[in-house]
Amino acid sequence: MQLWMGFALCAIPSTVHARESQRTFDVPADDLADALQQFARQAGVQILFPYDAAKGKRSRALKGRMTVAAALERLLAGQGLSMATHDARRITLRAVAARQAAKPRATPRSARLPSPSADPPSPAEPLEIVVTGRAVDSPIAASKMSYALTSISRERLDFTAPPSTASLFRQVPGFWVESSGGEAGNNVRSRGIPTDGFSAVAFAENGIAVQYDGALGYLNTDQSFRIDDTIARVEVVRGGPASLFMPNAPGGVANFITRSGLDEQGGRVTLTGGDRGYARLDGYQALRLSDEWGLVAGGFYRRDGGRRLPGYTADSGGQLRVALDHRSGGNSLSLDVRHLDDRVTFYLPVPLGLGDDGLPEAIAGFDPLRDSLAGPETLKVPLYDGLVPTVFDLSKGTHTRLTAITLRGTLDLGGGSEWHGALRWRDSATTRNALFPTGAPMTGEDYLASIEGQMREAFPDLEQLALKYVSDDAAFSESANALLTGANLLAVSVPLDEVLAETKLTSTLWGAGQHDVALSIGVAHYAYSFDRYMGTALLEVADEARLIDAVALDVLGDVTGRYTDSGIQRYGSIFDSARMAVDALAVHASDEWQISSAARVDFGMRWEVNRIDGEVAGQAAIDLGDPSTLADDQLLGPDGTSIPIRRRDTGFGWSVGGNYTLSPDLGVFARYTRSFRLPSASNFNTAPLRTDQETVPITMAELGVNYVAESLSLSATVFGTRFKRLPFSDFRFDTATNAYVERTEIADTRTIGVELEALWRPTGVFDLAVQATLQDGRYRNFAFTQILDDAPVLCDYSGNRLIRVPRLSLRAVPRVALLNDRLKIALTGEYFSRRYSDIANTQPLPAYTLIGLNIGALLTDRITLAAHVTNLTNALGLTEGNPRNGSFDLDANAGGYLYARPEFARALRVELALAF
């Protein structure tokens, strides 16, 4: 992979560190980039150099005994490169300005057409640094890795243009992604891990957690992070050692590595336009201030009418990053400031019918791909936040305002040892307002029958019930589909303050081979508030649905009472208020042992302790006293008391992996990991006295192969995952009482599967990238007794398939490169097999296929035009049912209707990029 001013790192050092004593060199004349690789092996150092400045030049032969510095000076004589920094383990080269002017101008990296897949280096290319899942930063070949990793280059990000952070992980095998929630608030699962959100997959920036606990209630990690042009590449570790290096990451970690002004210069501005009012501006500038200082600044701003138009601007906001880097010898210092102020819509399930075959289908009067229940009448609604009157504002969506300041440093201690330190401070405030549909659509007649008993008791002179539109008092129209639905207008506020710090010592030791050892201590403190209120509305089932009132009429046809109040069925159907603080301490130790040139073993451990301190407000149901309506009879609000929570949880995990290199192109590995997931503080936001939360033990075994050659790159991993004593909660909204009912059961899960990543390059104009996951996940020991109609009933879900996880996920990307690589066209095909939306496996979600198209054209050496089309065929692909209807068994669709959340309709985006 050729990167302008990118890292090209040569060989694993064969000694602890370079010495200034003389060495014997024998480097034949060759391409300069290849000669530098051979030199690095013989010198026992890393060499970082601008690859494009070396590739294609012919080196002179180097032979004899001399010091490393003298030998390198001879090798570089007249080549336009010179040493910028030099220490015991690492040498950095830079291009000499005069030589750069003399040679033909290279195409700027940012203007080059990207590839749809991350091209693994061939044996003739420089080895890459893998910084994720390892404690050391020495270069390593894919054939020597002992765990599964997917690397997504900047070029691949540019070409595929994922519309959200979560959707990026569709390119990672082993991950099941539900990105149908919009740009934030989505779900990612790894290797059959049966938990939602980001509770088992961590995000990191340059190796530091973006958010210590990615599963905080209503604060998923993807709400705290956006991809922009300041990201250089992404490394995703699937399972393996991820849980040793990162908190709350048993399923894996996605590490976003940012650009550095020391590694590249120049910049880019990109304008993007799309249908439904989409407009975005991206840009970055990288500057080398001196040989030792570099600066990067960049970010984005975006406005969007919405993936399903709600009648107002759905998304608006952006992100800004400024990063200053310093490197001198083996020491480094980095200061990174990132500010996010972005508002995006959270998309929820849509109404669907059940066909004769029992599978979901569109219903009359509502397009599930384009229509939205949200609209002008639900935009601003008077509600109560506890006992305080307020106005619910749906346009706030998921609004995150966040500032994160990160300080990282490395100190060369000599003798092959380094000290690494990192500190991140974060201050954020997140609101999350959304319209959550409840129950299932029902006819107006069925709805009135369900409330008739309550209405007759409250209003004895009731003669008949009627439905009226709130806006004009007209009778409810049954012309389209005659359906009504409940909808919760939910508002959540989660401000979070967080400090993360880590100190790490790494060293290279000798004894029966080479040992790269690490010992680190990490601490974290974070505190947040959780405030939530909700009102339950009554809506027609239509695009931009109108509010409906259910009223009691007397014999004269006059209104004598109302079940609703201006379309609200119940004020205060939820109220919660909690204050939580968490202190965490983690200790990590690891050893990468190079036994021989072909055999490597690595093992490590992590011990972690979390202490949760907080309090949760008590609540009571209050009647506001309006006799004309039932909507205010049971308003939940604070009762003036609070319940404290104090608990301490610990976990210990370890992992051991081995790799054997059969050839420079081919390596096999095996790994066994015992990890854990500590209880999240947010599990106690609404139930501080619950006793069903304990440390969850997780076991994962892996066996894999990595093959990297010029025409074919292949990575395949067989895995097995087992969870024990995992709490499963059934969070069901009772439409009769307009209140949530929750129950929790403890069970186990087991998943066996295989992941495949391949890139086939038979010719210079065609390649095919494939990612595939085949897995079988099942519940174990999932049996309990529940009371139905005053009688005990045994429920046994053991052996059922895990909810919403397909057995087969397949992604294939054929690509052609034409006109000397100036035009690239790639077709993306994704297939997801049938899933179930409930643990009882009673509601199937059909298999579906998505087709996408990416086109990139290099108009000049600096101007690129690209087009991206998603869901080209407008497939109705359902990613989940409606979790608010319960996750154990779905009985809310008995009337032939249900809710499920689909993929978005076809969308077109066109980009014009200028590199400079």
Side-chain angles (χ1 to χ4, degrees):
M1 185 166 49
Q2 302 179 10
L3 303 181
W4 170 246
M5 286 305 293
F7 281 162
L9 290 95
C10 304
I12 297 177
S14 59
T15 63
V16 176
H17 57 85
R19 305 181 186 276
E20 285 305 307
S21 59
Q22 292 188 337
R23 290 175 174 269
T24 299
F25 292 93
D26 186 3
V27 181
D30 201 347
D31 183 277
L32 180 58
D34 296 333
L36 284 170
Q37 294 180 53
Q38 295 187 52
F39 176 86
R41 295 187 184 98
Q42 296 177 22
V45 296
Q46 290 179 231
I47 296 183
L48 294 80
F49 63 95
Y51 192 74
D52 282 353
K55 186 66 176 176
K57 294 182 178 180
R58 189 71 178 174
S59 74
R60 66 184 65 185
L62 176 69
K63 191 169 184 178
R65 187 170 178 81
M66 63 199 81
T67 66
V68 171
L72 186 58
E73 185 177 352
R74 289 190 184 187
L75 188 64
L76 296 179
Q79 296 287 3
L81 294 171
S82 67
M83 279 192 291
T85 63
H86 178 199
D87 60 55
R89 303 180 65 188
R90 190 179 294 113
I91 296 174
T92 303
L93 305 183
R94 63 183 175 87
V96 179
R99 295 291 182 184
Q100 285 181 337
K103 75 182 184 75
R105 185 183 187 92
T107 302
R109 171 177 181 261
S110 52
R112 294 185 174 183
L113 284 182
S115 166
S117 56
D119 297 342
S122 69
E125 293 177 325
L127 303 176
E128 293 184 291
I129 279 185
V130 174
V131 299
T132 313
R134 306 179 66 208
V136 296
D137 60 357
S138 58
I140 188 171
S143 60
K144 291 183 176 291
M145 294 189 62
S146 60
Y147 55 90
L149 179 138
T150 296
S151 181
I152 302 175
S153 66
R154 180 69 243 183
E155 288 81 2
R156 186 171 168 187
L157 287 173
D158 290 339
F159 194 83
T160 56
S164 67
T165 307
S167 63
L168 167 70
F169 300 112
R170 290 182 183 270
Q171 304 177 40
V172 180
F175 279 31
W176 163 241
V177 180
E178 294 174 340
S179 56
S180 53
E183 288 200 35
N186 292 294
N187 296 315
V188 174
R189 296 183 176 189
S190 172
R191 293 182 168 178
I193 293 178
T195 54
D196 286 334
F198 290 81
S199 57
V201 176
F203 276 12
E205 280 182 316
N206 300 312
I208 310 167
V210 169
Q211 185 172 302
Y212 196 85
D213 186 350
L216 292 178
Y218 294 91
L219 189 54
N220 288 359
T221 313
D222 66 337
Q223 295 171 224
S224 303
F225 185 83
R226 303 286 190 273
I227 297 175
D228 61 24
D229 266 1
T230 64
I231 301 299
R233 71 182 192 275
V234 186
E235 292 179 351
V236 184
V237 174
R238 312 191 299 273
S243 58
L244 303 182
F245 296 91
M246 195 65 51
N248 303 307
V253 57
N255 190 16
F256 296 85
I257 300 164
T258 58
R259 298 182 191 265
S260 170
L262 288 171
D263 305 329
E264 57 180 291
Q265 297 184 70
R268 181 175 64 183
V269 173
T270 304
L271 296 174
T272 305
D275 49 10
R276 304 178 184 88
Y278 185 90
R280 175 166 170 149
L281 172 66
D282 287 85
Y284 83 95
Q285 174 71 59
L287 297 172
R288 179 185 285 272
L289 305 178
S290 69
D291 287 345
E292 298 180 347
W293 291 92
L295 178 71
V296 166
F300 78 92
Y301 180 80
R302 179 257 300 106
R303 289 178 65 86
D304 186 10
R307 303 301 299 273
R308 292 196 286 270
L309 299 175
Y312 53 85
T313 300
D315 305 342
S316 66
Q319 181 172 259
L320 176 65
R321 184 194 302 273
V322 178
L324 182 66
D325 290 324
H326 171 74
R327 282 201 294 262
S328 177
N331 306 321
S332 67
L333 184 66
S334 173
L335 175 65
D336 183 291
V337 180
R338 180 172 66 92
H339 180 70
L340 172 68
D341 189 344
D342 195 26
R343 177 181 60 81
V344 298
T345 294
F346 183 46
Y347 296 93
L348 278 303
V350 300
L352 296 162
L354 289 173
D356 295 338
D357 56 2
L359 299 178
E361 62 182 17
I363 60 176
F366 195 94
D367 184 338
L369 293 179
R370 297 179 178 83
D371 289 350
S372 170
L373 290 175
E377 289 202 18
T378 52
L379 180 59
K380 295 184 185 295
V381 180
L383 292 178
Y384 284 86
D385 181 358
L387 301 179
V388 180
T390 189
V391 174
F392 171 82
D393 187 352
L394 186 57
S395 69
K396 286 184 177 181
T398 298
H399 188 184
T400 300
R401 288 162 292 182
L402 177 150
T403 299
I405 301 176
T406 305
L407 186 66
R408 296 180 291 123
T410 301
L411 181 64
D412 188 351
L413 303 177
S417 298
E418 289 183 337
W419 172 86
H420 304 259
L423 176 68
R424 170 168 290 154
W425 170 85
R426 161 188 170 160
D427 176 71
S428 66
T430 299
T431 57
R432 192 168 176 183
N433 291 9
L435 186 155
F436 292 78
T438 66
M442 63 174 65
T443 65
E445 181 180 350
D446 288 342
Y447 175 79
L448 292 178
S450 70
I451 66 171
E452 183 175 1
Q454 293 174 271
M455 291 292 280
R456 288 196 179 279
E457 182 177 352
F459 308 107
D461 56 350
L462 181 153
E463 180 66 21
Q464 70 176 93
L465 294 172
L467 297 168
K468 297 178 178 292
Y469 289 106
V470 170
S471 57
D472 56 10
D473 208 34
F476 168 62
S477 171
E478 299 188 355
S479 57
N481 52 46
L483 297 177
L484 298 175
T485 186
N488 285 327
L489 305 177
L490 178 67
V492 182
S493 173
V494 191
L496 171 68
D497 294 317
E498 184 174 66
V499 178
L500 311 177
E502 183 183 49
T503 182
K504 179 173 66 176
L505 179 67
T506 64
S507 186
T508 303
L509 306 174
W510 288 92
Q514 177 179 322
H515 298 263
D516 290 315
V517 299
L519 175 65
S520 69
I521 299 176
V523 296
H525 171 80
Y526 56 96
Y528 69 90
S529 300
F530 177 81
D531 294 288
R532 178 171 67 164
Y533 72 88
M534 184 177 79
T536 302
L538 181 62
L539 302 172
E540 64 174 345
V541 174
D543 185 32
E544 297 185 6
R546 291 176 289 175
L547 290 165
I548 303 293
D549 265 335
V551 299
L553 304 178
D554 61 17
V555 292
L556 299 178
D558 296 327
V559 174
T560 63
R562 292 167 292 132
Y563 184 81
T564 56
D565 182 17
S566 297
I568 301 302
Q569 300 184 80
R570 181 183 177 185
Y571 289 109
S573 45
I574 271 186
F575 171 81
D576 294 294
S577 182
R579 307 290 179 265
M580 295 288 181
V582 179
D583 292 290
L585 169 68
V587 179
H588 157 263
S590 65
D591 180 7
E592 292 188 21
W593 178 17
Q594 187 76 43
I595 302 174
S596 67
S597 60
R600 294 178 70 252
V601 174
D602 65 85
F603 43 87
M605 54 75 63
R606 180 185 182 90
W607 175 82
E608 187 173 355
V609 57
N610 281 5
R611 188 184 70 190
I612 302 174
D613 293 284
E615 61 178 15
V616 177
Q619 57 182 249
I622 302 165
D623 187 345
L624 293 183
D626 184 348
S628 67
T629 180
L630 302 184
D632 73 339
D633 287 5
Q634 293 285 318
L635 185 145
L636 289 176
D639 65 2
T641 67
S642 63
I643 305 170
I645 174 173
R646 304 284 187 274
R647 63 179 292 141
R648 180 178 179 271
D649 298 284
T650 63
F652 178 80
W654 56 271
S655 181
V656 57
N659 170 278
Y660 191 82
T661 305
L662 300 173
S663 72
D665 301 337
L666 179 64
V668 295
F669 71 87
R671 178 171 293 276
Y672 184 81
T673 303
R674 294 290 299 270
S675 61
F676 58 88
R677 181 56 164 95
L678 298 179
S680 172
S682 64
N683 291 339
F684 306 95
N685 285 346
T686 61
L689 301 180
R690 66 189 305 174
T691 60
D692 54 8
Q693 298 295 309
E694 299 292 342
T695 299
V696 176
I698 305 166
T699 302
M700 186 177 295
E702 304 169 65
L703 182 64
V705 58
N706 291 309
Y707 176 74
V708 182
E710 186 172 351
S711 61
L712 177 65
S713 301
L714 174 68
S715 174
T717 306
V718 178
F719 65 87
T721 305
R722 186 176 65 182
F723 275 69
K724 297 186 69 176
R725 306 194 307 272
L726 185 66
F728 291 92
S729 293
D730 187 46
F731 200 51
R732 184 189 301 272
F733 190 78
D734 187 339
T735 55
T737 62
N738 289 313
Y740 276 107
V741 178
E742 183 176 5
R743 57 177 171 172
T744 300
E745 302 294 337
I746 307 297
D748 307 335
T749 70
R750 181 174 297 172
T751 301
I752 297 176
V754 59
E755 304 162 349
L756 174 68
E757 228 179 340
L759 177 62
W760 180 44
R761 294 166 286 197
T763 70
V765 298
F766 174 80
D767 58 44
L768 174 65
V770 175
Q771 294 97 27
T773 306
L774 180 64
Q775 59 185 319
D776 184 31
R778 303 279 177 170
Y779 296 101
R780 295 288 185 267
N781 303 318
F782 203 146
F784 60 94
T785 299
Q786 63 177 338
I787 303 300
L788 294 177
D789 298 326
D790 298 324
V793 177
L794 176 64
C795 296
D796 190 350
Y797 301 142
S798 301
N800 285 8
R801 289 172 50 187
L802 300 183
I803 63 172
R804 309 208 305 263
V805 177
R807 283 187 174 179
L808 176 62
S809 301
L810 177 63
R811 176 186 172 93
V813 185
R815 182 198 64 162
V816 294
L818 307 172
L819 303 178
N820 196 25
D821 280 356
R822 300 184 72 87
L823 175 64
K824 296 185 178 181
I825 304 172
L827 197 66
T828 300
E830 296 175 298
Y831 172 79
F832 306 100
S833 64
R834 190 172 79 158
R835 292 135 290 122
Y836 291 96
S837 61
D838 61 341
I839 294 174
N841 290 180
T842 60
Q843 179 58 67
L845 299 174
Y848 64 93
T849 300
L850 298 177
I851 303 296
L853 178 66
N854 293 300
I855 302 174
L858 189 60
L859 304 182
T860 72
D861 285 349
R862 296 182 177 276
I863 300 176
T864 302
L865 181 65
H868 311 282
V869 183
T870 58
N871 198 1
L872 193 62
T873 62
N874 273 328
L876 179 61
L878 303 180
T879 64
E880 66 173 20
N882 187 1
R884 273 63 58 180
N885 285 357
S887 59
F888 280 14
D889 58 276
L890 287 176
D891 59 2
N893 54 21
Y897 300 100
L898 77 158
Y899 276 99
R901 191 167 70 179
E903 301 278 5
F904 295 112
R906 178 175 53 243
L908 169 66
R909 293 181 182 178
V910 179
E911 298 176 354
L912 182 66
L914 170 65
F916 50 86

